[in-house]
């Protein structure tokens, strides 16, 4: 589980090291922008998703909606990340946010 949500530091670090650069960029920017707004249940759901998936490409394909995730990973948090990844506001997300 995510340990300290007050600073979000643990989750930020976990979001940065996801095996492939695409996941690192999407998840680290998502977490940096949203961790302070996430409930404890959402943080736990997020933590399970990023730490229980065996294949980083599976996670990437679920986030980009190229493949349907299996039931344990088809969650509201994933849906929020999928929407975030569409980047409708065309924000520059080409670098991971700095750790605080």
């Amino acid at each position: 589980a995510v340990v300290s949500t007050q600073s979000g530091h643990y989750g930020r670090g976990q979001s940065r090291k996801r095996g492939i650069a695409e996941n690192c960029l999407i998840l680290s920017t998502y977490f940096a922008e949203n961790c302070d707004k996430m409930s404890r249940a959402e943080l736990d759901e997020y933590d399970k998703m990023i730490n229980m998936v065996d294949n980083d490409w599976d996670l990437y394909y679920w986030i980009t909606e190229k493949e349907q995730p299996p039931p344990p990973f088809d969650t509201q948090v994933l849906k929020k990340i999928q929407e975030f990844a569409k980047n409708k506001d065309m924000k520059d997300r080409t670098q991971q946010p700095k750790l605080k």
Side-chain angles (χ1 to χ4, degrees), residues 13-29:
Q14 290 292 302
S15 298
R16 296 173 68 86
K17 300 178 181 178
R18 300 308 345 142
I20 61 172
E22 293 84 352
N23 286 352
C24 296
L25 287 169
I26 294 167
L27 295 172
S28 65
T29 54

Side-chain angles (χ1 to χ4, degrees), residues 20 22-23 53-62 64 67:
I20 61 172
E22 293 84 352
N23 286 352
V53 174
D54 292 331
N55 185 329
D56 294 316
W57 284 106
D58 286 343
L59 182 57
Y60 177 73
Y61 292 139
W62 302 338
T64 58
E67 292 181 5

Side-chain angles (χ1 to χ4, degrees), residues 82-95:
Q82 289 169 332
E83 194 60 33
F84 178 84
K86 292 175 186 174
N87 199 11
K88 292 179 181 177
D89 295 331
M90 302 293 290
K91 291 184 179 180
D92 181 7
R93 296 181 181 151
T94 56
Q95 294 183 20

Side-chain angles (χ1 to χ4, degrees), residues 1-2 10 14 42-52:
V2 175
Y10 177 79
Q14 290 292 302
E42 289 173 320
L43 289 166
D44 288 342
E45 199 173 279
Y46 178 85
D47 184 64
K48 287 176 188 169
M49 180 185 67
I50 67 171
N51 288 305
M52 292 180 66

